[in-house]
Amino acid sequence: MTFSIQNIIPHIQAKIAGIADDFIIENISIDSRSLQNNAGTLFFALKGQNHDGHHYIAELIKKGVRFFVVEKVPENYVDKATFLAVQNTTKALQKTAKYYRNLFHFPIIGITGSNGKTIVKEWLNFLLSPDYSIVRNPKSYNSQVGVPLSIFGTNENHNLGIFEAGISQKNEMRNLENIIHPTIGVFTHLGIAHEEGFSSLEEKIVEKTRLFTSCEVVILPRNEVVEKHIKVPTFTWSLTDEKATVFGSIKTQENQKTVIQIHYQNNSFEVTIPFQDSIAVNNAMTCMATLLYLKIDTPIIQERLQKLYPVEIRLQAKKGINGCVLIDDSYSSDYQSLKIALDFLEQQKLHSKKTIILSDIFQGGLPIDKLYQKVALAIQNNNIDRIIVIGETISKYLSELPNVIAFGATIDFLKQFNTQSFQNETILIKGARSFNFDEIVVLLEEKKHETVLEINLDALTHNLNFYKSKLHSNTKIMVMVKAFGYGNGGFEIAKLLEHNSVDYLGVAFADEGIELRKAGITLPIMVLNPENSSFPAMIAYDLEPEIYSITGLQAFLQLTQQKNITSYPIHIKLDTGMHRLGFEANDMDTLISLLRNNNFVMVKSVFSHLSASDDTHFDDFTQLQFERFHLLSQKIINALDIQPIRHILNTSGIFNYAQEMQLEMVRLGIGLYGMGNSKAERNNLQNVSTLKSVISQIREVEEGESIGYSRKFMVNKSMKVATIPIGYADGIRRAWGNEKGYVVIKNQKASILGNICMDMLMVDVTSISCIAGDEVIIFGENPNITEIATVTETIPYEILTGISQRVKRVFYKN
């Protein structure tokens, strides 16, 4: 990256405020939490519906950042930094990326479509990297912000770019086309993804094909509906239409391979693709057509296509052996994705000790010594305690760093592997596919289970930011992580929330809070249902009790007096109509008398709980609760002359009553996990949890036979039945069985047959082409938890919190 502040000022129409310095930009950042932020960083303070980067400028200045692009200059810091003031920081980021892109004049492949963008991008990178020095988006950085950040990875030694562009509504692609400005277009697939953002299929096609405005050609599966909207030449492929530029006919599909006879320009040849499923075959055909257009020799195409591999685009956090946490990124190794992985490591670290296992870096474009200087700096910025490098090149260039252990090859590491050398640490495993780091993951990971609950950390962050967007910037947020994070996971989610700077965590019982403290969580933690017997442990672990009764208050005061503790934070619960726990009006005099002139405790907050905030039909009662709370809390405030935090809103309360009732703090619960109590609320949330399993066995069952306990399902015609290793002991309610519920296999519904067993359930796969080992979706986007709750006559809370602890949790970030 070789451009300066002065270069971009005219392009982003910025006005300089503060210290009028110029500098060469080394790093572009939009995330205040990244440990890569330093004196060489230009920080764009992006403002969105759910976030505002301006809030973190003071924190960044303390870290050494001195250059900012802002919409509003913070007056208190004009003498400490250089500010480029613009009308819109997101537009300024895009314009900066456009300026930077135009410094380079090599071919750019621009990829869009409904599905398959990231896989085609990664496969093209693999297929073309022997011939080109390639820059591409890391992971799936294909958004209005992700594309600009990807462009900044370009340098003068690259000679091919491969960038994907993703949109979800009108008028987005023009921005991305201006930035990427591709010379070759690739359209992967036309499907239903993001259809809700467009009024018609045609409108969606028109918007997507805007990426190809300046292309010399567009490569795509033959599709007349799409082609009529493309105004430049096309290069098409098909497995059914001989009029396509490249025509293929499938010869055989067996042993997880597909052999295709290809016909192109009066020539014929065979290719072998190491997949049988139609989506992978189609993506491979798109890649092959691109190679043919680029005039790659046929024998090379044949050789490289058969080496294609499944692409894992997610960063996953997994439980490891001996109390470790693994960050699995074992399929790629380049500098851009290394920075992303290091940020994720910091976000998900459970232990203070951090280890990285890193292979040779395959980064086209940079001189090798400069590349490894940047790699070394990134690792040092993240304060990695132990650095294990594998590969001849990385061993040579990083050997001088402190705490480096070097191996020439993965096999050398595996020969010396000792399970006891990894204890209570967070381990980032990042390596190029050729290094087979998946073998290291197998050794370090806890025993694998066929059934897993996947937790999407990006969706959690989205949901948190949605509720934040309904609040004033100074309103505090307590997030409930009780009941093992509503069934999703305890410390992993707490760590994410700590990373996102929430103000408080809420748990039900002291032992939940103690586990979070043992896991290294330092946020204030409130215990909502403390037992008197747990008070000593709460004090030992710095947990703050909810006090809801005179006897509870007396017991806690007695303990603090015995321990000679002063000003210990407590939270006073008022009962305004829920009639579950809390002080009522007739308790006020006694409560105040116990607290007045008492220095053993400090009333940190006063709060209550709305009983019907999810149903606006009870608006009058909710307003009554709020009035009662105001009167009772004000009586305490006046009598004690204090200014505690007040809070009454829960998740639905934030959605329905934030305007008038948010006070100084709110409490976010089920909404964080993607569950809303109304359709309007759910439409703003993203699905967090996906429960997956696999097919254990498939059998043919003849007419007259029965399936499952008590012969609840009688077979009236021959059918194909799959057994799934998950049952009511894992949290699947029996009421979801007997054809009321279903699972999804190969994007098709499979009805649950008969009674759900303790550890298994059986489904009808008569019309589904599947085999043992295929993935099964128990719930997620479809079926979703709300649907299951409705059918089984319960609430989403019960479905989510009922998932057994024996089900493995996997946390991931796209």
Side-chain angles (χ1 to χ4, degrees), residues 682-746:
R682 289 193 295 272
N683 285 343
N684 289 284
L685 303 177
Q686 292 183 1
N687 180 67
V688 169
S689 309
T690 302
L691 183 58
K692 294 181 176 181
S693 192
V694 298
I695 296 174
S696 294
Q697 188 179 40
I698 298 176
R699 67 180 68 249
E700 296 285 342
V701 182
E702 299 300 324
E703 180 181 353
E705 296 291 330
S706 60
I707 295 171
Y709 284 118
S710 304
R711 305 196 75 192
K712 285 292 185 180
F713 182 84
M714 300 301 298
V715 180
N716 57 21
K717 61 180 179 180
S718 178
M719 65 191 310
K720 191 167 61 169
V721 177
T723 301
I724 318 298
I726 185 171
Y728 60 77
D730 301 291
I732 309 303
R733 295 172 62 87
R734 292 181 79 245
W736 186 236
N738 289 309
E739 298 181 277
K740 291 182 180 178
Y742 63 93
V743 301
V744 171
I745 302 171
K746 301 280 187 166

Side-chain angles (χ1 to χ4, degrees), residues 416-429:
Q416 297 185 41
F417 178 79
N418 179 358
T419 58
Q420 296 309 306
S421 64
F422 295 91
Q423 298 273 347
N424 299 315
E425 55 195 288
T426 306
I427 308 166
L428 170 60
I429 304 171

Side-chain angles (χ1 to χ4, degrees), residues 146-293:
V147 167
L149 293 177
S150 302
I151 290 289
F152 293 124
T154 311
N155 64 61
E156 60 276 9
N157 295 305
H158 289 123
N159 58 17
L160 178 66
I162 307 176
F163 294 101
E164 57 174 299
I167 59 168
S168 57
Q169 57 189 19
K170 284 183 65 178
N171 302 319
E172 288 187 330
M173 190 60 87
R174 194 180 307 277
N175 294 332
L176 301 185
E177 194 282 330
N178 279 334
I179 298 167
I180 300 172
H181 201 62
T183 55
I184 298 171
V186 172
F187 192 96
T188 59
H189 170 71
L190 179 63
I192 62 173
H194 303 299
E195 206 158 64
E196 66 277 4
F198 303 95
S199 61
S200 66
L201 180 64
E202 184 173 21
E203 183 178 81
K204 178 179 175 181
I205 295 170
V206 168
E207 182 66 25
K208 284 187 176 293
T209 54
R210 283 191 173 127
L211 179 64
F212 309 134
T213 304
S214 302
C215 289
E216 65 189 43
V217 69
V218 177
I219 300 161
L220 75 162
R222 182 159 171 74
N223 185 323
E224 292 181 358
V225 176
V226 177
E227 289 175 62
K228 74 177 183 179
H229 293 286
I230 296 174
K231 309 304 181 186
V232 299
T234 59
F235 188 95
T236 63
W237 67 265
S238 178
L239 294 174
T240 57
D241 189 344
E242 295 185 11
K243 294 180 181 179
T245 313
V246 181
F247 174 66
S249 55
I250 294 177
K251 292 186 64 178
T252 60
Q253 283 192 307
E254 57 187 9
N255 300 321
Q256 300 302 307
K257 294 180 180 180
T258 301
V259 177
I260 304 175
Q261 185 74 34
I262 301 297
H263 305 276
Y264 171 60
Q265 291 185 339
N266 300 319
N267 293 319
S268 282
F269 59 94
E270 281 188 5
V271 295
T272 300
I273 297 169
F275 304 99
Q276 281 185 219
D277 67 280
S278 59
I279 295 174
V281 169
N282 290 344
N283 288 333
M285 286 292 293
T286 296
C287 292
M288 185 200 61
T290 305
L291 267 60
L292 285 171
Y293 177 78

